[in-house]
Amino acid sequence: MSDLYAALEIGTTRTVLAVGETDGNGRLKITSHAEIPSTGVRKSQILDITQATQSIRSVLQKTEKLQDENGSKVTIGNVFLAVSGQHIKSDSFFGSVQVEKSRVGNEDMNAVLNSARTMTLPKDRELLDIVDQDYVLDNRGGISAPLGMAGSVLKLNTLQIHADRNRIMDARTAAEAAHLEIREPLFAITCAADAVLQDHEKKNGTLVIDLGGGSTGYAFYCDGYVVATGVIGVGGDHITNDIAHAFQTTNAQAEGLKINSACAIIRSADGEPARVRVEQGENTLMDNRTISRRALDTVVNARLMELFTVIRETLEDQDILHRLHSGIVLTGGGARLREIDTLAEQILGASVRIGRPLHIDGLENEDFPAAYATIAGALLYACRNYEEKSTFGGLFERLFK
């Protein structure tokens, strides 16, 4: 009997729900997924619970219908929630214990692990994840497996990722109103990274940048674990708004210009038309209007230059930029923009690729799989961390009741 998992992402521009199922070999496949434009959400935060509930209810019904059409009728009751937004922060924290004997034993390992989980968060914060990094034994750092090593003081460095509790509660409230229970909130950027990175990239130094609608998250991996994360309050919606303001279009027209005609770098003529047509809108007097392609690129380039420059300066402050030995991976819907990888290379000074989910099947027919990296990673997390418990009579009943 295969195992089923479900994940939900309530984004600024879209709400996505996906169901994943394992095959006989434990490989996970997305068997159905649906998305609709988000309502009641801005900058990755719910501003209208009633509208957000309607979005969740609609995408839930759409996903269940697709699942039924695929021959597996289920009623989804629980999901893992991918969370994004500037309210998510991370703090370094270490646990420390005296080694009981002259060499580190299992008791010491358990004790330092427990000590590393004693960090107290303010009441308005909710823990999303604790990332165990490296061990320090006396003055020797960078140790991955200290068991059996000689020393007197053992420390474990961790990265503790936490979110605004009220924002999580709002998501739970909206989901529950749609008769959907949030099983566990997850950090969107680490979900995306797990879906698109190879093990060697996590070891050698790789930055994942997830370009969402309301914000942009990043996570730096080195030595096999997350070293630093952050969220910047600039996303695809800001580019759309810039276009709408600069050329006096509606947001829908600006979005169309961004997706179909814009480029992240300012192009030379190179045989392309000098002007692009604005899609038909409600004002018929402007139906035949065109705008300069170079002017459009200039507007888009300016906002993305700002975003990547902020990321570069942040990485320099954290002494990370020179450690990107395996380069940068772009995910999210914003990574679809033409030549955005070229611009990122120019500003960040490292090789860049677009990250499609590598460890999960079912997205082969999508024209841009990188837009589903977060939801794919959330399903992978569910599969990896609940596999032993996920029997037909166990997790199946709790997830799909």
Side-chain angles (χ1 to χ4, degrees):
M1 178 63 66
S2 60
D3 299 323
L4 292 171
Y5 308 89
L8 173 70
E9 181 183 6
I10 307 171
T12 299
T13 57
R14 60 179 190 155
T15 299
V16 186
L17 182 63
V19 174
E21 182 175 355
T22 56
D23 60 20
N25 298 318
R27 176 79 176 183
L28 190 60
K29 178 180 180 178
I30 296 177
T31 54
S32 64
H33 65 283
E35 63 179 87
I36 64 166
S38 290
T39 54
V41 182
R42 184 170 178 267
K43 293 186 177 180
S44 306
Q45 297 187 36
I46 294 175
L47 300 182
D48 187 319
I49 287 181
T50 300
Q51 290 185 10
T53 296
Q54 184 56 48
S55 293
I56 296 170
R57 185 179 291 117
S58 297
V59 79
L60 175 61
Q61 292 170 348
K62 192 173 180 181
T63 305
E64 289 179 341
K65 181 180 179 181
L66 289 171
Q67 190 73 16
D68 188 19
E69 292 172 354
N70 291 335
S72 178
K73 185 176 180 61
V74 295
T75 300
I76 304 170
N78 291 268
V79 294
F80 292 80
L81 174 70
V83 182
S84 58
Q86 268 191 297
H87 63 97
I88 301 175
K89 309 294 182 185
S90 61
D91 292 302
S92 297
F93 185 77
F94 70 87
S96 178
V97 297
Q98 292 285 332
V99 176
E100 290 284 335
K101 301 177 181 178
S102 59
R103 297 182 183 279
V104 177
N106 287 320
E107 298 83 359
D108 303 308
M109 296 289 288
N110 291 333
V112 77
L113 185 66
N114 291 333
S115 175
R117 273 127 179 89
T118 60
M119 176 179 169
T120 302
L121 289 173
K123 292 183 179 180
D124 63 343
R125 306 297 294 175
E126 179 168 340
L127 188 67
L128 294 180
D129 196 9
I130 298 178
V131 179
D132 293 333
Q133 298 178 324
D134 64 327
Y135 292 89
V136 179
L137 187 56
D138 296 338
N139 294 321
R140 292 175 293 167
I143 299 172
S144 59
L147 186 64
M149 298 179 65
S152 57
V153 178
L154 179 65
K155 297 180 180 179
L156 172 59
N157 292 318
T158 67
L159 188 70
Q160 311 222 356
I161 303 169
H162 49 92
D164 186 322
R165 183 180 297 276
N166 290 332
R167 302 289 75 76
I168 303 298
M169 287 180 62
D170 289 344
R172 290 185 186 277
T173 300
E176 288 171 0
H179 305 292
L180 195 62
E181 181 183 346
I182 301 300
R183 181 168 178 80
E184 184 177 344
L186 309 172
F187 189 19
I189 179 60
T190 53
C191 287
D194 283 342
V196 303
L197 291 186
Q198 301 277 18
D199 287 344
H200 71 87
E201 292 177 309
K202 290 184 178 181
K203 291 178 181 178
N204 295 337
T206 303
L207 180 72
V208 178
I209 301 176
D210 187 52
L211 297 143
S215 61
T216 296
Y218 69 87
F220 172 63
Y221 285 74
C222 193
D223 297 325
Y225 53 78
V226 183
V227 174
T229 68
V231 181
I232 298 166
V234 176
D237 268 10
H238 295 81
I239 299 173
T240 301
N241 292 338
D242 289 346
I243 295 172
H245 179 75
F247 302 107
Q248 297 183 333
T249 69
T250 65
N251 274 15
Q253 290 172 321
E255 183 71 13
L257 287 167
K258 181 182 73 174
I259 293 173
N260 300 321
S261 304
C263 186
I265 59 175
I266 303 172
R267 295 163 288 184
S268 56
D270 290 341
E272 291 194 78
R275 301 184 69 81
V276 297
R277 186 172 301 280
V278 178
E279 293 178 2
Q280 183 173 336
E282 295 180 1
N283 187 346
T284 56
L285 294 177
M286 304 180 73
D287 281 351
N288 296 317
R289 187 161 64 106
T290 63
I291 62 172
S292 162
R293 183 183 298 275
R294 184 176 181 84
L296 175 63
D297 292 348
T298 300
V299 170
V300 174
N301 175 265
R303 177 63 78 171
L304 288 173
M305 285 274 290
E306 175 193 30
L307 172 62
F308 288 131
T309 299
V310 169
I311 293 175
R312 185 193 68 202
E313 292 172 349
T314 302
L315 298 179
E316 288 174 340
D317 291 342
Q318 296 175 323
D319 197 30
I320 287 174
L321 197 59
H322 68 284
R323 301 169 65 188
L324 299 179
H325 304 304
S326 286
I328 298 165
V329 181
L330 303 181
T331 67
R336 186 194 300 262
L337 192 62
R338 193 179 310 174
E339 298 287 355
I340 193 169
D341 50 345
T342 301
L343 181 64
E345 284 186 1
Q346 292 174 356
I347 298 176
L348 297 171
S351 61
V352 176
R353 70 174 176 87
I354 305 299
R356 59 180 299 134
L358 302 173
H359 312 296
I360 190 169
D361 301 321
L363 296 172
E364 295 80 11
N365 294 328
E366 292 295 334
D367 62 344
F368 195 71
Y372 298 92
T374 293
I375 204 76
L379 290 172
L380 287 167
Y381 171 89
C383 179
R384 290 168 181 168
N385 289 275
Y386 290 83
E387 185 174 7
E388 294 180 358
K389 303 176 183 178
S390 56
T391 61
F392 180 81
L395 185 61
F396 181 89
E397 289 182 345
R398 294 192 296 273
L399 282 176
F400 302 90
K401 59 186 180 180

